[in-house]
């Protein structure tokens, strides 16, 4: 039985005061919600303050990135131990915005996945194809290549701590959500890839989130799909009303 996870990616939005206010509103707006895990991933500058605002609640803290070294002379970077120190449970890795704008390679992302796990953080590993790749019919090949490279030398025990987020690049921040059927098809394919890599039992236990223009008006259909185990939400996680409604989804077929 997979507990759904709804995670908010606040990207490069929210100063400390705004982030704290949003976290406090979420804590009160989500009281009594059960049967699902909730996490928010603010920018680094707001992690401590948001962690304080979430203290005692069931909403968990996540980061949006890390540098794959325990410590050292890496000016401007943040280590996994620092994220644990500030209270992070999750860390988003391999987000397409970083692959695209910061040229992050699968090899580099793989190092991050290893370091995150070594320090007890749970990676939310993002994979997904571009529009051109989908138009060429290459989406399964692209996602499979990313998954195999990003998870290189991750064993079954470590894999139990990893969450996968399927985020088609053409759906991120564009308002063009994948249809529930398109998302389900890819999620099923990802689960089959995981069966090949880790066996049936591990693959069935791994949560695969959908991300890409998830909103309060499409979450119910997405969550009705058997292989969609939650959502990674960008834009709609920046307002309490929309994010709380997404967390309180009611699957509709
Ligand atoms: C994201 O940033 O991971 C994301 C899915 O963004 P949006 O929901 O805005 O498309």
């Amino acid at each position: 039985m997979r507990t759904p996870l709804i995670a908010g990616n606040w990207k490069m939005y929210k100063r400390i005061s705004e982030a704290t206010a949003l976290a406090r509103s979420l804590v009160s707006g989500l009281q009594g919600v059960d049967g699902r895990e909730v996490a928010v991933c603010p920018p680094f500058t707001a992690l401590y303050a948001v962690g304080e605002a979430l203290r005692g609640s069931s909403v968990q803290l996540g980061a949006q990135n890390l540098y794959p070294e325990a410590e050292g002379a890496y000016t401007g970077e943040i280590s996994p131990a620092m994220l644990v120190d500030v209270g992070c449970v999750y860390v988003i890795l391999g987000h397409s915005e970083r692959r695209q704008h910061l040229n992050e390679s699968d090899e580099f992302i793989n190092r991050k996945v290893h370091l995150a796990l070594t320090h007890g953080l749970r990676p939310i590993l993002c994979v997904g194809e571009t529009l051109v790749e989908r138009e060429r019919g290459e989406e399964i090949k692209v996602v499979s290549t990313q998954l195999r490279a990003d998870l290189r030398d991750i064993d079954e025990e470590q894999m139990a701590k990893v969450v996968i987020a399927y985020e088609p690049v053409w759906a991120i921040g564009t308002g063009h959500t994948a249809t529930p059927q398109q998302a389900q098809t890819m999620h099923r394919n990802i689960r089959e890839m995981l069966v090949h890599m880790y066996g049936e039992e591990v693959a069935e236990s791994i949560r695969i989130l959908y991300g890409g223009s998830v909103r309060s008006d499409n979450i119910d259909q997405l969550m009705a799909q058997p292989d969609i185990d939650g959502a990674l939400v960008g834009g709609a996680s920046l307002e309490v009303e929309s994010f709380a409604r997404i967390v309180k989804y009611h699957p509709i077929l």
Side-chain angles (χ1 to χ4, degrees):
M1 185 60 190
R2 303 183 290 265
T3 305
L5 168 64
I6 308 290
N9 172 13
W10 294 0
K11 310 196 188 201
M12 200 172 70
Y13 294 103
K14 307 283 178 196
R15 297 176 197 182
I16 294 171
S17 58
E18 298 163 326
T20 312
L22 176 55
R24 288 205 186 104
S25 310
L26 278 174
V27 168
S28 60
L30 295 179
Q31 261 170 19
V33 173
D34 56 14
R36 54 211 70 184
E37 257 187 75
V38 183
V40 292
C41 305
F44 288 136
T45 48
L47 279 174
Y48 180 77
V50 170
E52 289 297 300
L54 299 179
R55 196 180 283 278
S57 81
S58 59
V59 180
Q60 302 178 88
L61 191 64
Q64 298 175 22
N65 184 36
L66 58 72
Y67 191 75
E69 291 291 342
E71 61 180 358
Y74 300 100
T75 303
E77 296 299 333
I78 304 285
S79 76
M82 290 168 180
L83 298 182
V84 172
D85 191 36
V86 78
C88 289
V89 174
Y90 286 101
V91 59
I92 299 172
L93 297 177
H95 194 282
S96 62
E97 287 157 8
R98 297 194 63 85
R99 291 179 190 261
Q100 212 178 331
H101 305 307
L102 293 140
N103 292 323
E104 286 199 2
S105 66
D106 286 313
E107 189 268 327
F108 192 49
I109 294 164
N110 175 245
R111 282 174 53 204
K112 294 185 183 198
V113 174
H114 278 277
L115 258 285
L117 290 166
T118 305
H119 287 82
L121 287 163
R122 307 185 67 139
I124 300 177
L125 172 64
C126 304
V127 292
E129 80 287 357
T130 63
L131 184 57
V132 172
E133 289 161 344
R134 178 163 279 260
E135 283 171 351
R136 288 194 193 126
E138 291 173 354
E139 66 272 20
I140 291 175
K141 191 179 97 194
V142 168
V143 168
S144 158
T145 304
Q146 290 175 339
L147 214 54
R148 284 177 191 281
D150 298 345
L151 294 173
R152 197 163 152 236
D153 296 331
I154 296 296
D155 66 24
E156 288 169 23
E157 202 182 316
Q158 292 172 307
M159 195 55 204
K161 302 263 185 263
V162 177
V163 175
I164 305 293
Y166 169 56
E167 297 211 308
V169 179
W170 46 273
I172 298 180
T174 58
H176 301 300
T177 323
T179 64
Q181 292 67 33
Q182 280 174 321
Q184 166 58 24
T185 301
M186 180 58 88
H187 282 228
R188 189 66 233 161
N189 274 290
I190 292 174
R191 205 172 303 284
E192 278 160 20
M193 293 168 204
L194 294 171
V195 171
H196 286 289
M197 293 163 74
Y198 294 101
E200 184 92 30
E201 200 179 315
V202 174
E204 284 300 322
S205 71
I206 293 170
R207 288 174 297 180
I208 308 174
L209 314 185
Y210 170 76
S213 298
V214 171
R215 297 181 308 261
S216 48
D217 62 359
N218 55 29
I219 186 69
D220 294 344
Q221 288 81 0
L222 289 162
M223 289 306 294
Q225 304 303 313
D227 288 288
I228 299 185
D229 308 313
L232 181 55
V233 186
S237 71
L238 297 171
E239 299 293 334
V240 66
E241 293 76 19
S242 49
F243 191 61
R245 172 61 184 83
I246 289 170
V247 170
K248 294 176 189 174
Y249 67 84
H250 308 285
I252 329 176
L253 285 168

